[in-house]
Amino acid sequence: MKIGIFDSGVGGLIITKTIRELMPEYDYVYLGDTKRVPYGDKSHDTILKFTKEAMNYFFQKENCAIVIIACNTVSARALKKIQQEYSSKKLKDRKVLGVLIPTAEIAVDYKKIGILATLGTVNSNTFLKEIKKLNDNVTVFQNPAPMLVPLIEEGVNLKLIKPILLEYLNPLLKKNIDTLILGCTHYPILKKEIKKIMGKNIEIISQDEIIPKKLKEYLKIHPEINKKISKKRSIKISVTDYTPNVNRLVKKWFSASQKVHLVNL
Ligand code: DGL
């Protein structure tokens, strides 16, 4: 059985890369819904429908033991329903994990937390609720950045991104935050540019750095899942549409000979 990693597009590839760097021994399958990205402005019902189709792919076609929903928008808006439907009803022995709670666990070490995320994630207030559950004494500011995901999917020119980032980050800078959560799988691609704007005194919480460690801890305390996952060091990368940026990033982050499979959801 494999570890599945799901994202709305190419963003989750960066988390897949860092997860594999930490735990190369497992077999992985990645699915990016490049045909239907962005998810950030989609309705709740549409996100749930797309995610169910993806889960059926992971569990029925790829025989995954565990699926990481790397997409924050899906984690924020559909994770609970998906967990109820899959892990507790249809497939009791399989697990679906999101990325918001592990991120919130890191963020609560700070006092004034800024969150940059998609419109769907911000409007759901899920990040805010999860952080407050862990520590009610922190202050949280959120700002949506709706233009970033489409630009990253297109293969953004990093030289042109600064004014757009300033537009989204200035409202958070004005709040004197001490940490910024990059609350979307796509944003670590812009980490360097974001860090330059935020300066040295603001900690940047980036999921490509924290999710691999959290997954490792999870597998350690769940040997019943760990032992089911095959360990042949393989990676299958699937997308719902071939886009030029998919090939470019797969070559850059994996290998020039890495195949990309087309999946029809
Ligand atoms: N990867 C998604 C996230 O983390 C981007 C959402 C989108 O497709 O708009 O929120």
Side-chain angles (χ1 to χ4, degrees):
M1 294 177 96
K2 298 175 192 165
I3 297 177
I5 302 171
F6 174 53
D7 189 39
S8 60
V10 296
L13 284 171
I14 193 160
I15 287 191
T16 307
K17 173 183 172 282
T18 54
I19 289 176
R20 274 190 91 220
E21 279 164 5
L22 189 68
M23 294 177 288
E25 64 275 27
Y26 295 111
D27 291 330
Y28 297 91
V29 55
Y30 178 82
L31 176 63
D33 195 3
T34 45
K35 185 168 68 177
R36 305 187 289 199
V37 67
Y39 278 20
D41 60 351
K42 302 278 190 294
S43 71
H44 180 81
D45 287 349
T46 298
I47 290 176
L48 195 58
K49 177 178 175 289
F50 289 175
T51 309
K52 280 185 191 172
E53 289 167 2
M55 293 308 118
N56 291 339
Y57 168 74
F58 283 117
F59 292 127
Q60 288 162 13
K61 293 231 166 72
E62 295 293 343
N63 195 25
C64 288
I66 181 167
V67 175
I68 317 304
I69 296 191
C71 182
N72 288 262
T73 309
V74 174
S75 295
R77 306 191 65 198
L79 180 69
K80 289 231 163 80
K81 279 223 166 100
I82 292 289
Q83 284 174 327
Q84 280 160 8
E85 189 163 336
Y86 288 82
S87 312
S88 50
K89 281 192 201 149
K90 283 189 190 154
L91 300 156
K92 283 204 179 97
D93 59 333
R94 316 290 177 98
K95 286 284 166 261
V96 183
L97 304 178
V99 288
L100 261 57
I101 295 172
T103 309
E105 283 167 0
I106 303 285
V108 290
D109 285 345
Y110 299 86
K111 289 196 171 60
K112 289 178 96 179
I113 305 165
I115 302 171
L116 192 71
T118 65
L119 199 60
T121 302
V122 169
N123 286 346
S124 76
N125 277 327
T126 313
F127 250 127
L128 177 85
K129 287 178 207 153
E130 294 299 346
I131 290 170
K132 289 281 184 183
K133 260 190 234 167
L134 295 170
N135 184 355
D136 203 21
N137 295 322
V138 298
T139 317
V140 180
F141 305 97
Q142 307 186 76
N143 205 26
M147 272 166 67
L148 294 185
V149 171
L151 283 173
I152 293 166
E153 285 291 327
E154 286 281 331
V156 62
N157 181 340
L158 294 175
K159 286 187 200 129
L160 305 180
I161 197 73
K162 191 169 171 190
I164 299 167
L165 285 178
L166 280 173
E167 179 72 23
Y168 293 140
L169 292 171
N170 269 338
L172 295 171
L173 276 168
K174 281 191 192 136
K175 302 287 183 192
N176 286 324
I177 55 171
D178 55 15
T179 185
L180 174 71
I181 295 177
L182 305 186
C184 169
T185 39
H186 287 63
Y187 302 167
I189 294 174
L190 304 175
K191 196 175 0 181
K192 240 199 231 159
E193 289 67 27
I194 292 174
K195 270 190 176 164
K196 258 189 225 157
I197 294 172
M198 301 312 280
K200 275 191 234 118
N201 296 331
I202 298 174
E203 185 66 28
I204 306 289
I205 298 182
S206 188
Q207 291 165 336
D208 59 316
E209 294 166 32
I210 60 173
I211 299 302
K213 290 179 207 147
K214 292 281 185 183
L215 180 59
K216 192 172 180 170
E217 279 166 27
Y218 182 89
L219 292 174
K220 201 172 167 191
I221 55 174
H222 290 280
E224 76 286 2
I225 298 169
N226 192 18
K227 70 170 188 245
K228 282 188 208 158
I229 306 166
S230 50
K231 297 170 184 73
K232 290 189 223 111
R233 307 173 88 90
S234 72
I235 170 92
K236 177 172 179 182
I237 296 179
S238 310
V239 291
T240 51
D241 195 15
Y242 285 130
T243 63
N245 206 25
V246 167
N247 285 329
R248 190 180 67 81
L249 293 177
V250 167
K251 281 194 171 61
K252 182 173 161 196
W253 289 334
F254 297 86
S255 77
S257 58
Q258 174 67 50
K259 272 198 196 142
V260 180
H261 299 262
L262 194 64
V263 166
N264 203 1
L265 290 188

